[in-house]
Amino acid sequence: MSPKVTEEHKENRRLEIMRAAAEVFKRKGYDAVTMQDIIDETGMSRGGVYAYFGSKEELFWALLDQIDDSHAAGYAKLLDRYRNAWETIEHFLRYQEKEIGNTHRSLSPAIFEFFSSGWRDADRQPFLVGRYKRAVGDFARFLRAGVKRGDFRPLQEPEAIAQFVISFLDGLSVDVLLLGSEVCDYRAQLDSLRLYLHQVLQIAETSREDGGSQSTTGETP
Amino acid sequence: MSPKVTEEHKENRRLEIMRAAAEVFKRKGYDAVTMQDIIDETGMSRGGVYAYFGSKEELFWALLDQIDDSHAAGYAKLLDRYRNAWETIEHFLRYQEKEIGNTHRSLSPAIFEFFSSGWRDADRQPFLVGRYKRAVGDFARFLRAGVKRGDFRPLQEPEAIAQFVISFLDGLSVDVLLLGSEVCDYRAQLDSLRLYLHQVLQIAETSREDGGSQSTTGETP
C-alpha cells in the first residue's frame, strides 16, 4: 500500500471507532460507558481500538471536536447559501429547534454528564475554556460577516451577543434534558431568542421578509 | 413551656440546622457532604439533628424551598416598592448580577451537583418539575401584575418570557461556574437580557427613565 492509502485507511478506522463510540454514548450517557463497551460496538480487537484512542475521555473529546468543526463549517457554508445574513440566523434557529427536540436521543445527555461530573476537575478546565472561546469566536465572526454585508447593525459587541446565545442554549438544553419538552416549551423560547436577535442586530422587517423569500428560490448571489 | 413557645423553639432549631447545612454545602458542594459534616457544623447531637431532617437530601430540598420562598416574596415586595414595574425588572437584574458574581461562594455549585448527579433519578424528577413550574409561575404572575398596571405590553405569553429568562439564567450560572467570570462575561450578558425584556415588554424609553428617577426618591404609590 502507498503511504497515502495507509493514511486514508487510518482516518477511516478512526472515524469508524468514533461513530461506534457515539452510538454507545447516546445509549448510556458518559459515566456508565467503558472502553470495553466501545470495543464491543466496533467489533474490532482491543489493540485495534487502543491504537487510535487511549481512553474514553480522549474519544469523547474527539467527538466534541468533530461537532465543533461541523458547526464552524456550517456558519461559513450558510453565509454563502443565503443572500441575507438574517436568513442564516433563521436557519440556525431551525437547526437548534431540531437538535433540542432530539436531546434525549442525541449526545447531549452524555455531554451534560461529562461536564457536570468533571466540573471540579482542574485538568479538564483548559479544554472547556478552549471549546467555549471557540464557539463564541465562531458565532461572533459570523455576526461580523453579517455586519460587513450590511445586514446587521448590532447594538452590542458581537462577542457579548454570542455569549448570550450560548448561555441561553446551554441552559435550554439542560432544562429540556432535566424537565422534558412537555414542561419546558423550547419552541416558544427559541421565539424569544429570535426576538432578541432581531432587535439586537437591528433587522428591518422588510429585509427579514426579503431574506425569507429569497432563500426559497434557491438563488445564490 | 406553652405549646406556642415549643413550636417557636422547634422552628428556630430547624432554621439553625439549615443555616449550618448551607455553610457546609457552600464549602463542599453536594456529593461530598455527609450528615456527620452537618451535625459537626451545628454542634448539636446526632439525634438532635435527625429529629428534624432524615437525610442530607431532605435538608437540601428544605434549603431550595427556602430560596424559592424568598424569591416569590421578593417579587411581591418589589412591586409595592417601585411605582413602575420596569424598575422591578432593573432591580431583579441587579440582584442576578450580584448572585452570579458570587456563584463560587454561594449554594450554586452544590445545586449544580445535586441536579446533575441526580438527573437520571426518577424519584427526583417530580420535585424538579414542581420547582421549575413554581419559578415560571411566580415570574409570569409578576409580569401579569405589570400588565395590569399598564407598565408592560408583552409581545409573548408571560409563561414563555418567564421560561426564556429562567433557561438563560440557568445556562449563565452553569457557564460562570464551569468557566469562571473572566471567560464568561455575565455583566454583558445581563445587558442582553435587559435588551430582550425591554423589547418584549414594549417599554417606552421615557417610562424606563421615569421608573429610574422615581425609585431613587423612595416614594411609594
Side-chain angles (χ1 to χ4, degrees):
Chain A
M1 274 192 292
S2 74
K4 200 184 160 228
V5 172
T6 309
E7 276 311 306
E8 211 180 291
H9 174 77
K10 271 186 175 172
E11 183 56 20
N12 285 340
R13 270 275 149 132
R14 211 180 116 84
L15 290 173
E16 209 179 313
I17 296 168
M18 285 169 67
R19 260 192 304 272
E23 286 313 307
V24 179
F25 287 127
K26 282 179 193 173
R27 221 158 47 221
K28 300 184 70 170
Y30 182 77
D31 293 336
V33 170
T34 64
M35 274 300 265
Q36 192 57 52
D37 294 331
I38 297 168
I39 292 162
D40 291 345
E41 182 81 17
T42 60
M44 298 179 197
S45 71
R46 194 171 178 79
V49 172
Y50 271 104
Y52 292 88
F53 297 99
S55 66
K56 72 164 177 174
E57 176 155 352
E58 204 184 313
L59 244 165
F60 202 73
W61 277 116
L63 286 171
L64 292 177
D65 282 344
Q66 194 182 42
I67 293 171
D68 295 345
D69 286 345
S70 84
H71 285 172
Y75 293 136
K77 231 186 286 175
L78 283 171
L79 264 177
D80 286 339
R81 187 159 139 203
Y82 295 112
R83 193 179 289 178
N84 187 299
W86 177 255
E87 257 312 292
T88 310
I89 298 266
E90 293 280 6
H91 182 103
F92 170 79
L93 292 168
R94 284 192 299 273
Y95 171 80
Q96 291 299 333
E97 190 176 321
K98 228 177 68 189
E99 285 283 293
I100 290 163
N102 197 35
T103 290
H104 289 84
R105 290 174 299 282
S106 74
L107 273 177
S108 294
I111 292 175
F112 178 64
E113 274 187 9
F114 180 70
F115 287 123
S116 60
S117 64
W119 80 273
R120 282 186 195 270
D121 183 344
D123 289 348
R124 226 174 255 181
Q125 172 78 358
F127 290 98
L128 250 175
V129 169
R131 189 169 185 247
Y132 180 78
K133 285 191 172 168
R134 185 182 170 183
V136 170
D138 285 343
F139 198 82
R141 203 161 18 255
F142 155 69
L143 293 176
R144 289 220 162 77
V147 172
K148 218 174 152 187
R149 281 196 187 191
D151 296 332
F152 300 151
R153 291 177 299 131
L155 298 172
Q156 294 187 291
E157 280 299 315
E159 276 72 17
I161 299 171
Q163 287 199 0
F164 179 76
V165 170
I166 289 167
S167 289
F168 163 66
L169 291 174
D170 283 346
L172 186 63
S173 311
V174 170
D175 285 359
V176 168
L177 193 63
L178 297 181
L179 303 157
S181 54
E182 293 80 31
V183 175
C184 183
D185 182 354
Y186 62 92
R187 285 192 184 88
Q189 293 182 58
L190 287 168
D191 281 340
S192 307
L193 182 62
R194 179 180 286 108
L195 190 73
Y196 162 74
L197 286 168
H198 200 257
Q199 167 77 358
V200 78
L201 299 172
Q202 297 203 73
I203 308 298
E205 247 353 279
T206 49
S207 76
R208 183 182 176 178
E209 278 155 22
D210 281 358
S213 60
Q214 279 166 14
S215 82
T216 54
T217 63
E219 288 172 43
T220 44
Chain B
M1 274 191 287
S2 73
K4 199 185 159 226
V5 173
T6 308
E7 276 310 306
E8 210 182 290
H9 174 76
K10 270 187 178 172
E11 183 56 20
N12 285 339
R13 268 276 149 131
R14 212 181 115 83
L15 290 174
E16 209 180 313
I17 296 168
M18 284 170 67
R19 260 193 303 274
E23 285 314 308
V24 179
F25 286 127
K26 281 179 193 173
R27 221 159 45 222
K28 298 183 73 171
Y30 181 78
D31 293 337
V33 170
T34 64
M35 274 299 265
Q36 192 56 54
D37 294 331
I38 296 169
I39 292 162
D40 291 346
E41 181 82 18
T42 59
M44 298 178 196
S45 71
R46 194 170 179 80
V49 172
Y50 272 103
Y52 292 87
F53 297 98
S55 66
K56 73 164 176 174
E57 176 155 351
E58 204 183 313
L59 244 166
F60 201 72
W61 277 115
L63 286 170
L64 292 178
D65 281 345
Q66 194 182 43
I67 293 172
D68 295 344
D69 286 345
S70 83
H71 284 172
Y75 293 136
K77 229 184 290 175
L78 284 172
L79 263 178
D80 287 338
R81 188 160 139 203
Y82 296 113
R83 191 179 290 178
N84 187 299
W86 177 255
E87 256 314 290
T88 311
I89 298 267
E90 292 281 6
H91 182 102
F92 171 79
L93 292 168
R94 285 193 298 273
Y95 171 79
Q96 291 299 332
E97 189 175 321
K98 227 177 66 189
E99 284 283 293
I100 290 163
N102 197 34
T103 290
H104 289 85
R105 290 173 299 284
S106 75
L107 273 178
S108 294
I111 294 175
F112 178 65
E113 273 186 11
F114 180 70
F115 288 122
S116 60
S117 64
W119 80 274
R120 281 185 195 270
D121 183 344
D123 290 348
R124 224 173 258 181
Q125 172 77 359
F127 291 99
L128 249 176
V129 169
R131 188 168 186 248
Y132 180 77
K133 284 189 172 170
R134 184 182 171 183
V136 170
D138 286 342
F139 198 82
R141 203 159 20 253
F142 155 70
L143 293 177
R144 288 218 163 79
V147 172
K148 218 172 151 188
R149 281 195 188 193
D151 296 333
F152 300 151
R153 292 177 298 131
L155 298 172
Q156 295 187 290
E157 281 299 315
E159 277 71 18
I161 298 171
Q163 288 199 359
F164 179 75
V165 170
I166 289 167
S167 289
F168 163 67
L169 292 173
D170 284 347
L172 186 63
S173 311
V174 170
D175 285 359
V176 168
L177 192 64
L178 297 181
L179 302 158
S181 54
E182 293 79 30
V183 175
C184 184
D185 182 354
Y186 62 92
R187 285 194 184 87
Q189 292 181 59
L190 287 168
D191 281 339
S192 306
L193 182 62
R194 179 179 285 108
L195 190 73
Y196 161 74
L197 287 168
H198 200 257
Q199 166 76 358
V200 78
L201 299 172
Q202 297 203 73
I203 309 298
E205 247 350 281
T206 49
S207 78
R208 183 180 177 178
E209 277 154 22
D210 281 359
S213 60
Q214 278 165 14
S215 80
T216 54
T217 65
E219 288 171 44
T220 44

Tab-separated table of all heavy atoms in Angstrom, chain A residues 124-146:
chain	number	residue	atom	x	y	z
A	124	ARG	N	-9.488	19.348	33.198
A	124	ARG	CA	-10.452	19.497	32.112
A	124	ARG	C	-10.737	20.972	31.802
A	124	ARG	O	-11.201	21.309	30.725
A	124	ARG	CB	-11.752	18.788	32.515
A	124	ARG	CG	-12.300	17.928	31.420
A	124	ARG	CD	-13.494	17.131	31.900
A	124	ARG	NE	-13.177	15.738	32.129
A	124	ARG	CZ	-14.071	14.840	32.538
A	124	ARG	NH1	-15.316	15.197	32.748
A	124	ARG	NH2	-13.731	13.588	32.725
A	125	GLN	N	-10.476	21.829	32.766
A	125	GLN	CA	-10.813	23.262	32.686
A	125	GLN	C	-10.276	23.943	31.413
A	125	GLN	O	-11.040	24.612	30.712
A	125	GLN	CB	-10.318	23.959	33.965
A	125	GLN	CG	-10.411	25.472	33.983
A	125	GLN	CD	-11.819	25.970	34.255
A	125	GLN	OE1	-12.740	25.188	34.394
A	125	GLN	NE2	-11.981	27.261	34.308
A	126	PRO	N	-8.970	23.788	31.078
A	126	PRO	CA	-8.473	24.479	29.877
A	126	PRO	C	-9.186	24.034	28.590
A	126	PRO	O	-9.416	24.846	27.695
A	126	PRO	CB	-6.993	24.080	29.808
A	126	PRO	CG	-6.655	23.531	31.150
A	126	PRO	CD	-7.919	23.028	31.764
A	127	PHE	N	-9.558	22.764	28.517
A	127	PHE	CA	-10.267	22.268	27.329
A	127	PHE	C	-11.649	22.905	27.232
A	127	PHE	O	-12.102	23.315	26.173
A	127	PHE	CB	-10.425	20.745	27.403
A	127	PHE	CG	-9.132	20.008	27.223
A	127	PHE	CD1	-8.428	19.558	28.324
A	127	PHE	CD2	-8.615	19.779	25.957
A	127	PHE	CE1	-7.227	18.877	28.172
A	127	PHE	CE2	-7.419	19.104	25.798
A	127	PHE	CZ	-6.720	18.646	26.914
A	128	LEU	N	-12.314	22.949	28.392
A	128	LEU	CA	-13.633	23.568	28.474
A	128	LEU	C	-13.587	25.024	28.010
A	128	LEU	O	-14.412	25.461	27.208
A	128	LEU	CB	-14.072	23.577	29.935
A	128	LEU	CG	-15.190	22.659	30.342
A	128	LEU	CD1	-15.389	22.730	31.840
A	128	LEU	CD2	-16.467	23.072	29.624
A	129	VAL	N	-12.600	25.750	28.548
A	129	VAL	CA	-12.457	27.166	28.199
A	129	VAL	C	-12.152	27.306	26.711
A	129	VAL	O	-12.734	28.145	26.022
A	129	VAL	CB	-11.362	27.839	29.065
A	129	VAL	CG1	-11.011	29.222	28.530
A	129	VAL	CG2	-11.814	27.912	30.524
A	130	GLY	N	-11.288	26.459	26.197
A	130	GLY	CA	-10.939	26.497	24.772
A	130	GLY	C	-12.159	26.261	23.898
A	130	GLY	O	-12.380	26.960	22.909
A	131	ARG	N	-12.976	25.293	24.276
A	131	ARG	CA	-14.162	24.948	23.495
A	131	ARG	C	-15.166	26.105	23.510
A	131	ARG	O	-15.761	26.441	22.481
A	131	ARG	CB	-14.796	23.688	24.110
A	131	ARG	CG	-15.873	23.129	23.276
A	131	ARG	CD	-16.335	21.760	23.709
A	131	ARG	NE	-17.306	21.308	22.737
A	131	ARG	CZ	-18.602	21.123	23.003
A	131	ARG	NH1	-19.071	21.304	24.210
A	131	ARG	NH2	-19.418	20.750	22.035
A	132	TYR	N	-15.327	26.714	24.679
A	132	TYR	CA	-16.255	27.844	24.810
A	132	TYR	C	-15.784	29.029	23.970
A	132	TYR	O	-16.553	29.621	23.222
A	132	TYR	CB	-16.360	28.234	26.285
A	132	TYR	CG	-17.293	29.385	26.583
A	132	TYR	CD1	-18.660	29.205	26.609
A	132	TYR	CD2	-16.793	30.658	26.854
A	132	TYR	CE1	-19.523	30.259	26.891
A	132	TYR	CE2	-17.638	31.716	27.143
A	132	TYR	CZ	-19.001	31.514	27.152
A	132	TYR	OH	-19.843	32.555	27.438
A	133	LYS	N	-14.486	29.348	24.095
A	133	LYS	CA	-13.954	30.501	23.343
A	133	LYS	C	-14.089	30.288	21.842
A	133	LYS	O	-14.348	31.218	21.091
A	133	LYS	CB	-12.481	30.729	23.716
A	133	LYS	CG	-12.315	31.358	25.081
A	133	LYS	CD	-10.886	31.814	25.310
A	133	LYS	CE	-10.787	32.624	26.593
A	133	LYS	NZ	-9.390	32.838	27.006
A	134	ARG	N	-13.889	29.045	21.419
A	134	ARG	CA	-14.013	28.743	20.002
A	134	ARG	C	-15.455	28.964	19.530
A	134	ARG	O	-15.695	29.581	18.490
A	134	ARG	CB	-13.613	27.289	19.761
A	134	ARG	CG	-13.613	26.974	18.311
A	134	ARG	CD	-13.276	25.537	18.014
A	134	ARG	NE	-13.556	25.317	16.603
A	134	ARG	CZ	-13.443	24.170	15.993
A	134	ARG	NH1	-13.024	23.124	16.642
A	134	ARG	NH2	-13.729	24.068	14.704
A	135	ALA	N	-16.416	28.473	20.332
A	135	ALA	CA	-17.835	28.627	19.971
A	135	ALA	C	-18.217	30.109	19.913
A	135	ALA	O	-18.878	30.559	18.974
A	135	ALA	CB	-18.714	27.885	20.971
A	136	VAL	N	-17.767	30.877	20.915
A	136	VAL	CA	-18.051	32.317	20.935
A	136	VAL	C	-17.409	32.987	19.715
A	136	VAL	O	-18.045	33.778	19.006
A	136	VAL	CB	-17.542	32.965	22.248
A	136	VAL	CG1	-17.618	34.489	22.177
A	136	VAL	CG2	-18.330	32.450	23.449
A	137	GLY	N	-16.139	32.632	19.452
A	137	GLY	CA	-15.409	33.227	18.331
A	137	GLY	C	-16.073	32.937	16.990
A	137	GLY	O	-16.214	33.831	16.154
A	138	ASP	N	-16.511	31.686	16.804
A	138	ASP	CA	-17.149	31.306	15.536
A	138	ASP	C	-18.432	32.098	15.306
A	138	ASP	O	-18.681	32.590	14.206
A	138	ASP	CB	-17.491	29.798	15.528
A	138	ASP	CG	-16.247	28.934	15.327
A	138	ASP	OD1	-15.214	29.473	14.876
A	138	ASP	OD2	-16.314	27.728	15.635
A	139	PHE	N	-19.251	32.209	16.363
A	139	PHE	CA	-20.529	32.910	16.202
A	139	PHE	C	-20.291	34.412	16.012
A	139	PHE	O	-20.936	35.053	15.175
A	139	PHE	CB	-21.445	32.649	17.412
A	139	PHE	CG	-22.890	32.957	17.149
A	139	PHE	CD1	-23.697	32.038	16.501
A	139	PHE	CD2	-23.455	34.174	17.539
A	139	PHE	CE1	-25.045	32.321	16.242
A	139	PHE	CE2	-24.797	34.464	17.285
A	139	PHE	CZ	-25.591	33.536	16.636
A	140	ALA	N	-19.337	34.973	16.768
A	140	ALA	CA	-19.034	36.403	16.645
A	140	ALA	C	-18.493	36.719	15.240
A	140	ALA	O	-18.829	37.749	14.646
A	140	ALA	CB	-18.035	36.829	17.716
A	141	ARG	N	-17.676	35.811	14.700
A	141	ARG	CA	-17.132	36.007	13.355
A	141	ARG	C	-18.260	36.022	12.325
A	141	ARG	O	-18.277	36.839	11.406
A	141	ARG	CB	-16.121	34.892	13.036
A	141	ARG	CG	-15.124	35.265	11.967
A	141	ARG	CD	-13.854	34.391	11.954
A	141	ARG	NE	-13.990	33.133	12.658
A	141	ARG	CZ	-13.451	32.881	13.860
A	141	ARG	NH1	-12.720	33.783	14.462
A	141	ARG	NH2	-13.630	31.701	14.427
A	142	PHE	N	-19.217	35.116	12.503
A	142	PHE	CA	-20.374	35.100	11.614
A	142	PHE	C	-21.152	36.421	11.704
A	142	PHE	O	-21.550	36.995	10.684
A	142	PHE	CB	-21.280	33.908	11.952
A	142	PHE	CG	-22.706	34.113	11.552
A	142	PHE	CD1	-23.071	34.144	10.213
A	142	PHE	CD2	-23.691	34.332	12.513
A	142	PHE	CE1	-24.388	34.377	9.845
A	142	PHE	CE2	-25.002	34.564	12.155
A	142	PHE	CZ	-25.347	34.586	10.809
A	143	LEU	N	-21.329	36.932	12.934
A	143	LEU	CA	-22.044	38.207	13.095
A	143	LEU	C	-21.289	39.337	12.393
A	143	LEU	O	-21.890	40.178	11.718
A	143	LEU	CB	-22.230	38.533	14.581
A	143	LEU	CG	-23.158	37.605	15.379
A	143	LEU	CD1	-23.172	37.992	16.856
A	143	LEU	CD2	-24.588	37.633	14.828
A	144	ARG	N	-19.950	39.347	12.526
A	144	ARG	CA	-19.144	40.394	11.871
A	144	ARG	C	-19.264	40.320	10.351
A	144	ARG	O	-19.288	41.356	9.678
A	144	ARG	CB	-17.667	40.265	12.291
A	144	ARG	CG	-17.404	40.665	13.727
A	144	ARG	CD	-16.094	41.445	13.899
A	144	ARG	NE	-16.142	42.135	15.187
A	144	ARG	CZ	-15.939	41.534	16.368
A	144	ARG	NH1	-15.624	40.246	16.416
A	144	ARG	NH2	-16.036	42.230	17.483
A	145	ALA	N	-19.343	39.099	9.828
A	145	ALA	CA	-19.521	38.933	8.373
A	145	ALA	C	-20.863	39.543	7.954
A	145	ALA	O	-20.964	40.184	6.899
A	145	ALA	CB	-19.445	37.455	7.997
A	146	GLY	N	-21.886	39.362	8.805
A	146	GLY	CA	-23.201	39.948	8.525
A	146	GLY	C	-23.164	41.473	8.581
A	146	GLY	O	-23.852	42.153	7.816
